[in-house]
Amino acid sequence: MTQSRNPQSCPLSDHSPLLQTPIPINTISLAMTFNSDAAASIVRLNIGGKKFCTTIDTLTQREPDSMLAAMFSGRHTVCQDSDKGYVFVDRDGKHFRHILNWLRDGVVPSMTETEYSELLREAEYFQLLGLMDEINASLVKRKEETEMGTELTRIDIIKCSQSEKVRFRGVNLSGLDLSKLDLSFVDFSYACLKNVFFSRANLQCAKFRDVDAEASIFHNATLRECEFTGANLRGALLAGANLQSANLQDACLVNCSFCGADLRSAHLQTADLTNANLEGANLEGANLKGAKLTNANLKGANLQRAYLRHVNLRETDLEGAKLDGANLLGAIR
């Protein structure tokens, strides 16, 4: 006896007659397909060029008030490409897998401070309020754990700084607020300075050799003639800082912000400035020999008389930059 089959009980495949039905335009209304069975149907997403497959259940159930839930609620029309039906969203797809895993399992991955900031920005865009709360909770917990491991307090630093030849070599100062202090000539070499707040501090001639200062804030700080050789400053904020003649050779400056910073005559040989933001920075006479500038933003920067020999500038944004007198011999543009 031949058993009848309910077509709505079978998941749709690429060979399904329903998917082979001609679609006259590149937009479809999901409203016509929404019922209790279709809620579990597959959705193909193209997030800034990265492609993902998920289900409508995943996109709508955990965060029902999010932008993604609204898009696939059946109340709106979404645009699909005419080839495989991908819905395009113009965002960076780097962290979208974490967003999908959150929607599936409610789990936030362990990430660096910079990566958490990037993920938080995407969560804000997609209006994922639960994910935003979890990220902020993770950041608070990490800060508390960091502060528990800190060996000194702000008051300790102030007392020590009144002495001559102050050294905090190899000390864990993570998460401290050292803003507006006079810490000139202090030796922080090899110290752990993650998330330290140095905003507006006087750090002239201070030594930061091989420090781990990831995500630290040096906003508007005085850093003239400082030594950052081999330092990890990934994701640090140095906007408006005075770094005249500072030594940043071999430093990791990935994702750093130097907007409006004074880097005149700075030593940046072989520094990694990938994705760094140097918009409006003054790099007059700076030495950038061997520096990595992939995806660096140098819009409106002053690079007059800068040393850029054999530097790869092909993926560097130099719109409006001043290059008068710069040494560009052998530079790749």
Short mmCIF file of all heavy atoms in Angstrom, two decimals, residues 272-332:
data_model
loop_
_atom_site.label_atom_id
_atom_site.label_comp_id
_atom_site.label_asym_id
_atom_site.label_seq_id
_atom_site.Cartn_x
_atom_site.Cartn_y
_atom_site.Cartn_z
N ASP A 272 54.42 46.92 13.62
CA ASP A 272 53.24 46.37 12.96
C ASP A 272 52.06 47.31 13.20
O ASP A 272 51.49 47.36 14.29
CB ASP A 272 52.92 44.98 13.50
CG ASP A 272 51.84 44.27 12.68
OD1 ASP A 272 51.21 44.93 11.83
OD2 ASP A 272 51.65 43.05 12.88
N LEU A 273 51.71 48.07 12.15
CA LEU A 273 50.63 49.05 12.23
C LEU A 273 49.40 48.57 11.45
O LEU A 273 48.60 49.38 10.99
CB LEU A 273 51.11 50.39 11.69
CG LEU A 273 52.07 51.17 12.61
CD1 LEU A 273 53.00 52.05 11.80
CD2 LEU A 273 51.28 52.01 13.60
N THR A 274 49.23 47.27 11.34
CA THR A 274 48.08 46.72 10.63
C THR A 274 46.77 47.22 11.26
O THR A 274 46.59 47.16 12.48
CB THR A 274 48.10 45.18 10.68
OG1 THR A 274 49.33 44.71 10.09
CG2 THR A 274 46.92 44.59 9.93
N ASN A 275 45.89 47.76 10.42
CA ASN A 275 44.57 48.28 10.85
C ASN A 275 44.67 49.45 11.83
O ASN A 275 43.68 49.81 12.47
CB ASN A 275 43.73 47.17 11.50
CG ASN A 275 43.38 46.07 10.52
OD1 ASN A 275 43.09 46.33 9.36
ND2 ASN A 275 43.42 44.82 10.98
N ALA A 276 45.85 50.05 11.95
CA ALA A 276 45.98 51.19 12.85
C ALA A 276 45.33 52.42 12.25
O ALA A 276 45.30 52.61 11.03
CB ALA A 276 47.46 51.46 13.13
N ASN A 277 44.80 53.27 13.12
CA ASN A 277 44.16 54.51 12.68
C ASN A 277 45.08 55.69 13.00
O ASN A 277 45.24 56.06 14.16
CB ASN A 277 42.81 54.69 13.37
CG ASN A 277 42.02 55.84 12.80
OD1 ASN A 277 42.49 56.57 11.93
ND2 ASN A 277 40.80 56.01 13.27
N LEU A 278 45.69 56.25 11.94
CA LEU A 278 46.61 57.38 12.09
C LEU A 278 46.05 58.62 11.40
O LEU A 278 46.80 59.50 10.97
CB LEU A 278 47.98 57.02 11.51
CG LEU A 278 48.74 55.92 12.26
CD1 LEU A 278 49.10 54.79 11.34
CD2 LEU A 278 49.98 56.48 12.92
N GLU A 279 44.75 58.69 11.31
CA GLU A 279 44.13 59.82 10.62
C GLU A 279 44.51 61.14 11.30
O GLU A 279 44.34 61.32 12.50
CB GLU A 279 42.61 59.67 10.59
CG GLU A 279 41.90 60.74 9.79
CD GLU A 279 40.44 60.43 9.56
OE1 GLU A 279 39.97 59.33 9.92
OE2 GLU A 279 39.74 61.31 8.99
N GLY A 280 45.04 62.05 10.48
CA GLY A 280 45.40 63.37 11.00
C GLY A 280 46.64 63.39 11.86
O GLY A 280 46.98 64.42 12.44
N ALA A 281 47.36 62.26 11.97
CA ALA A 281 48.56 62.22 12.80
C ALA A 281 49.71 62.96 12.13
O ALA A 281 49.78 63.06 10.90
CB ALA A 281 48.96 60.77 13.06
N ASN A 282 50.61 63.48 12.94
CA ASN A 282 51.79 64.19 12.42
C ASN A 282 52.99 63.26 12.49
O ASN A 282 53.53 62.99 13.57
CB ASN A 282 52.05 65.45 13.25
CG ASN A 282 53.11 66.34 12.60
OD1 ASN A 282 53.80 65.92 11.67
ND2 ASN A 282 53.22 67.57 13.08
N LEU A 283 53.40 62.75 11.32
CA LEU A 283 54.52 61.81 11.23
C LEU A 283 55.70 62.44 10.49
O LEU A 283 56.52 61.73 9.90
CB LEU A 283 54.08 60.54 10.50
CG LEU A 283 53.12 59.64 11.30
CD1 LEU A 283 52.01 59.09 10.42
CD2 LEU A 283 53.87 58.49 11.94
N GLU A 284 55.80 63.74 10.57
CA GLU A 284 56.87 64.43 9.87
C GLU A 284 58.23 63.92 10.35
O GLU A 284 58.53 63.92 11.55
CB GLU A 284 56.77 65.94 10.10
CG GLU A 284 57.82 66.73 9.32
CD GLU A 284 57.64 68.23 9.48
OE1 GLU A 284 56.62 68.67 10.07
OE2 GLU A 284 58.51 68.98 9.01
N GLY A 285 59.05 63.48 9.40
CA GLY A 285 60.39 63.00 9.73
C GLY A 285 60.42 61.66 10.43
O GLY A 285 61.49 61.22 10.87
N ALA A 286 59.29 60.96 10.54
CA ALA A 286 59.26 59.66 11.21
C ALA A 286 59.94 58.59 10.35
O ALA A 286 59.91 58.66 9.12
CB ALA A 286 57.83 59.24 11.51
N ASN A 287 60.52 57.60 11.00
CA ASN A 287 61.19 56.51 10.30
C ASN A 287 60.28 55.29 10.32
O ASN A 287 60.06 54.69 11.37
CB ASN A 287 62.53 56.18 10.95
CG ASN A 287 63.36 55.20 10.14
OD1 ASN A 287 62.84 54.50 9.28
ND2 ASN A 287 64.66 55.16 10.40
N LEU A 288 59.75 54.92 9.13
CA LEU A 288 58.82 53.80 9.02
C LEU A 288 59.44 52.65 8.21
O LEU A 288 58.71 51.83 7.64
CB LEU A 288 57.53 54.27 8.36
CG LEU A 288 56.67 55.20 9.22
CD1 LEU A 288 56.08 56.32 8.42
CD2 LEU A 288 55.58 54.41 9.92
N LYS A 289 60.74 52.57 8.19
CA LYS A 289 61.42 51.53 7.42
C LYS A 289 60.96 50.15 7.89
O LYS A 289 61.04 49.81 9.06
CB LYS A 289 62.93 51.65 7.59
CG LYS A 289 63.71 50.61 6.79
CD LYS A 289 65.21 50.78 7.01
CE LYS A 289 65.99 49.72 6.23
NZ LYS A 289 67.46 49.85 6.44
N GLY A 290 60.45 49.36 6.94
CA GLY A 290 60.03 47.99 7.25
C GLY A 290 58.74 47.88 8.03
O GLY A 290 58.36 46.77 8.44
N ALA A 291 58.05 48.99 8.25
CA ALA A 291 56.79 48.93 9.00
C ALA A 291 55.68 48.28 8.18
O ALA A 291 55.65 48.40 6.95
CB ALA A 291 56.36 50.34 9.42
N LYS A 292 54.76 47.59 8.86
CA LYS A 292 53.60 47.00 8.20
C LYS A 292 52.44 47.97 8.30
O LYS A 292 52.03 48.34 9.40
CB LYS A 292 53.24 45.67 8.85
CG LYS A 292 54.28 44.58 8.69
CD LYS A 292 53.82 43.29 9.36
CE LYS A 292 54.87 42.20 9.25
NZ LYS A 292 54.46 40.96 9.96
N LEU A 293 51.90 48.36 7.14
CA LEU A 293 50.83 49.35 7.12
C LEU A 293 49.58 48.81 6.42
O LEU A 293 48.79 49.58 5.87
CB LEU A 293 51.32 50.63 6.42
CG LEU A 293 52.37 51.43 7.19
CD1 LEU A 293 53.04 52.46 6.28
CD2 LEU A 293 51.73 52.14 8.38
N THR A 294 49.39 47.51 6.47
CA THR A 294 48.23 46.91 5.82
C THR A 294 46.93 47.44 6.44
O THR A 294 46.73 47.38 7.65
CB THR A 294 48.26 45.37 5.97
OG1 THR A 294 49.52 44.89 5.49
CG2 THR A 294 47.13 44.73 5.19
N ASN A 295 46.07 48.00 5.59
CA ASN A 295 44.76 48.55 6.01
C ASN A 295 44.90 49.69 7.02
O ASN A 295 43.92 50.02 7.72
CB ASN A 295 43.87 47.46 6.59
CG ASN A 295 43.46 46.43 5.56
OD1 ASN A 295 43.24 46.76 4.40
ND2 ASN A 295 43.39 45.18 5.96
N ALA A 296 46.07 50.29 7.10
CA ALA A 296 46.24 51.44 8.01
C ALA A 296 45.55 52.67 7.42
O ALA A 296 45.51 52.85 6.21
CB ALA A 296 47.72 51.72 8.24
N ASN A 297 45.01 53.49 8.30
CA ASN A 297 44.33 54.72 7.88
C ASN A 297 45.25 55.91 8.13
O ASN A 297 45.51 56.28 9.28
CB ASN A 297 43.02 54.89 8.66
CG ASN A 297 42.29 56.17 8.30
OD1 ASN A 297 42.65 56.86 7.35
ND2 ASN A 297 41.27 56.50 9.06
N LEU A 298 45.74 56.50 7.02
CA LEU A 298 46.63 57.66 7.12
C LEU A 298 46.00 58.88 6.44
O LEU A 298 46.70 59.75 5.94
CB LEU A 298 47.98 57.33 6.49
CG LEU A 298 48.91 56.46 7.34
CD1 LEU A 298 49.94 55.74 6.50
CD2 LEU A 298 49.61 57.31 8.40
N LYS A 299 44.68 58.93 6.45
CA LYS A 299 43.99 60.06 5.84
C LYS A 299 44.42 61.37 6.49
O LYS A 299 44.36 61.52 7.72
CB LYS A 299 42.47 59.91 5.99
CG LYS A 299 41.83 58.89 5.08
CD LYS A 299 40.32 58.88 5.29
CE LYS A 299 39.63 57.89 4.38
NZ LYS A 299 38.16 57.88 4.60
N GLY A 300 44.82 62.31 5.67
CA GLY A 300 45.16 63.63 6.18
C GLY A 300 46.39 63.66 7.06
O GLY A 300 46.67 64.67 7.70
N ALA A 301 47.16 62.57 7.11
CA ALA A 301 48.36 62.54 7.96
C ALA A 301 49.49 63.35 7.33
O ALA A 301 49.57 63.49 6.11
CB ALA A 301 48.81 61.10 8.17
N ASN A 302 50.35 63.88 8.17
CA ASN A 302 51.52 64.62 7.70
C ASN A 302 52.71 63.67 7.65
O ASN A 302 53.24 63.27 8.69
CB ASN A 302 51.82 65.79 8.64
CG ASN A 302 53.02 66.61 8.17
OD1 ASN A 302 53.58 66.35 7.10
ND2 ASN A 302 53.40 67.61 8.95
N LEU A 303 53.12 63.29 6.43
CA LEU A 303 54.24 62.38 6.23
C LEU A 303 55.41 63.08 5.54
O LEU A 303 56.25 62.44 4.91
CB LEU A 303 53.78 61.17 5.40
CG LEU A 303 52.86 60.18 6.12
CD1 LEU A 303 52.08 59.35 5.12
CD2 LEU A 303 53.65 59.28 7.05
N GLN A 304 55.44 64.38 5.68
CA GLN A 304 56.54 65.13 5.07
C GLN A 304 57.88 64.68 5.65
O GLN A 304 58.05 64.55 6.86
CB GLN A 304 56.35 66.63 5.31
CG GLN A 304 55.13 67.20 4.57
CD GLN A 304 54.90 68.66 4.91
OE1 GLN A 304 54.90 69.05 6.07
NE2 GLN A 304 54.72 69.49 3.89
N ARG A 305 58.81 64.41 4.73
CA ARG A 305 60.18 63.99 5.08
C ARG A 305 60.20 62.67 5.87
O ARG A 305 61.20 62.35 6.52
CB ARG A 305 60.92 65.10 5.84
CG ARG A 305 61.19 66.33 4.96
CD ARG A 305 61.93 67.41 5.72
NE ARG A 305 61.09 68.03 6.73
CZ ARG A 305 60.16 68.94 6.46
NH1 ARG A 305 59.92 69.33 5.22
NH2 ARG A 305 59.46 69.48 7.43
N ALA A 306 59.12 61.92 5.82
CA ALA A 306 59.11 60.61 6.48
C ALA A 306 59.90 59.60 5.65
O ALA A 306 60.00 59.72 4.43
CB ALA A 306 57.68 60.12 6.68
N TYR A 307 60.46 58.61 6.32
CA TYR A 307 61.25 57.57 5.65
C TYR A 307 60.34 56.39 5.37
O TYR A 307 59.94 55.67 6.30
CB TYR A 307 62.44 57.16 6.52
CG TYR A 307 63.45 56.28 5.83
CD1 TYR A 307 64.58 56.82 5.24
CD2 TYR A 307 63.28 54.89 5.77
CE1 TYR A 307 65.53 56.02 4.62
CE2 TYR A 307 64.21 54.08 5.14
CZ TYR A 307 65.33 54.66 4.57
OH TYR A 307 66.26 53.86 3.94
N LEU A 308 60.01 56.18 4.09
CA LEU A 308 59.08 55.13 3.70
C LEU A 308 59.67 54.22 2.61
O LEU A 308 58.93 53.61 1.84
CB LEU A 308 57.77 55.76 3.18
CG LEU A 308 56.92 56.50 4.22
CD1 LEU A 308 55.99 57.48 3.55
CD2 LEU A 308 56.12 55.50 5.06
N ARG A 309 60.98 54.13 2.58
CA ARG A 309 61.62 53.32 1.54
C ARG A 309 61.21 51.85 1.64
O ARG A 309 61.23 51.26 2.73
CB ARG A 309 63.14 53.42 1.64
CG ARG A 309 63.69 54.77 1.21
CD ARG A 309 65.20 54.78 1.17
NE ARG A 309 65.73 53.90 0.13
CZ ARG A 309 67.02 53.84 -0.20
NH1 ARG A 309 67.90 54.61 0.43
NH2 ARG A 309 67.43 53.02 -1.16
N HIS A 310 60.79 51.31 0.49
CA HIS A 310 60.42 49.90 0.37
C HIS A 310 59.24 49.49 1.26
O HIS A 310 59.04 48.30 1.53
CB HIS A 310 61.63 49.00 0.67
CG HIS A 310 62.81 49.28 -0.21
ND1 HIS A 310 62.83 49.01 -1.56
CD2 HIS A 310 64.02 49.83 0.08
CE1 HIS A 310 63.99 49.37 -2.07
NE2 HIS A 310 64.74 49.88 -1.11
N VAL A 311 58.47 50.47 1.71
CA VAL A 311 57.28 50.15 2.51
C VAL A 311 56.11 49.85 1.57
O VAL A 311 55.92 50.53 0.57
CB VAL A 311 56.91 51.32 3.45
CG1 VAL A 311 55.60 51.05 4.17
CG2 VAL A 311 58.03 51.55 4.46
N ASN A 312 55.33 48.82 1.91
CA ASN A 312 54.16 48.46 1.10
C ASN A 312 52.98 49.34 1.49
O ASN A 312 52.43 49.22 2.58
CB ASN A 312 53.81 46.98 1.31
CG ASN A 312 52.76 46.49 0.32
OD1 ASN A 312 52.06 47.29 -0.29
ND2 ASN A 312 52.65 45.19 0.16
N LEU A 313 52.61 50.24 0.57
CA LEU A 313 51.52 51.18 0.83
C LEU A 313 50.29 50.85 0.00
O LEU A 313 49.35 51.65 -0.05
CB LEU A 313 51.98 52.61 0.51
CG LEU A 313 53.18 53.14 1.31
CD1 LEU A 313 53.68 54.45 0.72
CD2 LEU A 313 52.79 53.33 2.78
N ARG A 314 50.28 49.68 -0.61
CA ARG A 314 49.20 49.33 -1.54
C ARG A 314 47.85 49.27 -0.86
O ARG A 314 46.83 49.64 -1.42
CB ARG A 314 49.53 48.00 -2.22
CG ARG A 314 48.55 47.61 -3.33
CD ARG A 314 49.10 46.46 -4.15
NE ARG A 314 50.26 46.88 -4.94
CZ ARG A 314 51.12 46.04 -5.50
NH1 ARG A 314 50.98 44.74 -5.30
NH2 ARG A 314 52.13 46.49 -6.20
N GLU A 315 47.81 48.80 0.37
CA GLU A 315 46.53 48.69 1.09
C GLU A 315 46.41 49.74 2.20
O GLU A 315 45.71 49.53 3.19
CB GLU A 315 46.39 47.28 1.66
CG GLU A 315 46.37 46.19 0.60
CD GLU A 315 46.24 44.80 1.22
OE1 GLU A 315 45.30 44.58 2.00
OE2 GLU A 315 47.09 43.94 0.91
N THR A 316 47.13 50.84 2.02
CA THR A 316 47.12 51.93 3.00
C THR A 316 46.31 53.10 2.47
O THR A 316 46.46 53.48 1.31
CB THR A 316 48.56 52.39 3.30
OG1 THR A 316 49.34 51.26 3.71
CG2 THR A 316 48.58 53.43 4.41
N ASP A 317 45.45 53.66 3.30
CA ASP A 317 44.63 54.80 2.88
C ASP A 317 45.43 56.09 3.11
O ASP A 317 45.65 56.51 4.25
CB ASP A 317 43.34 54.84 3.69
CG ASP A 317 42.33 55.83 3.12
OD1 ASP A 317 42.74 56.71 2.33
OD2 ASP A 317 41.14 55.72 3.46
N LEU A 318 45.87 56.69 2.01
CA LEU A 318 46.69 57.91 2.07
C LEU A 318 45.94 59.13 1.54
O LEU A 318 46.56 60.13 1.19
CB LEU A 318 47.98 57.71 1.25
CG LEU A 318 48.99 56.71 1.84
CD1 LEU A 318 50.01 56.32 0.78
CD2 LEU A 318 49.69 57.31 3.05
N GLU A 319 44.62 59.06 1.55
CA GLU A 319 43.82 60.17 1.03
C GLU A 319 44.12 61.46 1.79
O GLU A 319 44.00 61.53 3.01
CB GLU A 319 42.33 59.84 1.14
CG GLU A 319 41.42 60.93 0.59
CD GLU A 319 39.95 60.61 0.80
OE1 GLU A 319 39.64 59.43 1.11
OE2 GLU A 319 39.13 61.54 0.66
N GLY A 320 44.55 62.47 1.06
CA GLY A 320 44.82 63.78 1.67
C GLY A 320 46.09 63.84 2.48
O GLY A 320 46.37 64.86 3.13
N ALA A 321 46.89 62.78 2.48
CA ALA A 321 48.14 62.78 3.26
C ALA A 321 49.19 63.67 2.58
O ALA A 321 49.26 63.76 1.36
CB ALA A 321 48.68 61.36 3.40
N LYS A 322 50.02 64.31 3.40
CA LYS A 322 51.09 65.16 2.89
C LYS A 322 52.37 64.33 2.79
O LYS A 322 52.85 63.81 3.79
CB LYS A 322 51.31 66.36 3.82
CG LYS A 322 50.11 67.28 3.94
CD LYS A 322 50.38 68.40 4.93
CE LYS A 322 49.17 69.30 5.10
NZ LYS A 322 49.42 70.36 6.13
N LEU A 323 52.89 64.22 1.57
CA LEU A 323 54.07 63.38 1.34
C LEU A 323 55.25 64.19 0.79
O LEU A 323 56.21 63.60 0.30
CB LEU A 323 53.71 62.26 0.36
CG LEU A 323 52.72 61.21 0.89
CD1 LEU A 323 52.08 60.43 -0.25
CD2 LEU A 323 53.42 60.26 1.84
N ASP A 324 55.20 65.49 0.93
CA ASP A 324 56.27 66.35 0.42
C ASP A 324 57.59 65.97 1.07
O ASP A 324 57.72 65.94 2.31
CB ASP A 324 55.98 67.83 0.70
CG ASP A 324 54.66 68.28 0.08
OD1 ASP A 324 54.24 67.66 -0.91
OD2 ASP A 324 54.09 69.24 0.60
N GLY A 325 58.57 65.68 0.24
CA GLY A 325 59.91 65.39 0.76
C GLY A 325 60.06 64.01 1.38
O GLY A 325 61.13 63.68 1.90
N ALA A 326 58.98 63.18 1.36
CA ALA A 326 59.07 61.83 1.93
C ALA A 326 59.97 60.95 1.06
O ALA A 326 59.99 61.07 -0.17
CB ALA A 326 57.69 61.21 2.05
N ASN A 327 60.71 60.06 1.70
CA ASN A 327 61.56 59.14 0.97
C ASN A 327 60.74 57.90 0.62
O ASN A 327 60.49 57.05 1.45
CB ASN A 327 62.78 58.73 1.82
CG ASN A 327 63.81 57.95 1.04
OD1 ASN A 327 63.48 57.30 0.04
ND2 ASN A 327 65.06 57.99 1.49
N LEU A 328 60.30 57.84 -0.64
CA LEU A 328 59.42 56.76 -1.11
C LEU A 328 60.13 55.84 -2.09
O LEU A 328 59.47 55.10 -2.83
CB LEU A 328 58.18 57.37 -1.77
CG LEU A 328 57.23 58.12 -0.83
CD1 LEU A 328 56.31 59.04 -1.62
CD2 LEU A 328 56.39 57.12 -0.02
N LEU A 329 61.44 55.86 -2.09
CA LEU A 329 62.21 55.03 -3.02
C LEU A 329 61.89 53.54 -2.81
O LEU A 329 62.05 53.02 -1.71
CB LEU A 329 63.71 55.26 -2.83
CG LEU A 329 64.63 54.54 -3.85
CD1 LEU A 329 64.38 55.06 -5.25
CD2 LEU A 329 66.09 54.75 -3.45
N GLY A 330 61.39 52.90 -3.83
CA GLY A 330 61.08 51.47 -3.74
C GLY A 330 59.79 51.17 -3.03
O GLY A 330 59.45 49.98 -2.86
N ALA A 331 59.05 52.19 -2.59
CA ALA A 331 57.77 51.94 -1.90
C ALA A 331 56.76 51.36 -2.88
O ALA A 331 56.73 51.73 -4.06
CB ALA A 331 57.24 53.23 -1.30
N ILE A 332 55.94 50.45 -2.42
CA ILE A 332 54.92 49.80 -3.26
C ILE A 332 53.60 50.56 -3.08
O ILE A 332 53.08 50.65 -1.96
CB ILE A 332 54.74 48.33 -2.86
CG1 ILE A 332 56.07 47.59 -2.98
CG2 ILE A 332 53.68 47.66 -3.74
CD1 ILE A 332 56.04 46.19 -2.42
#
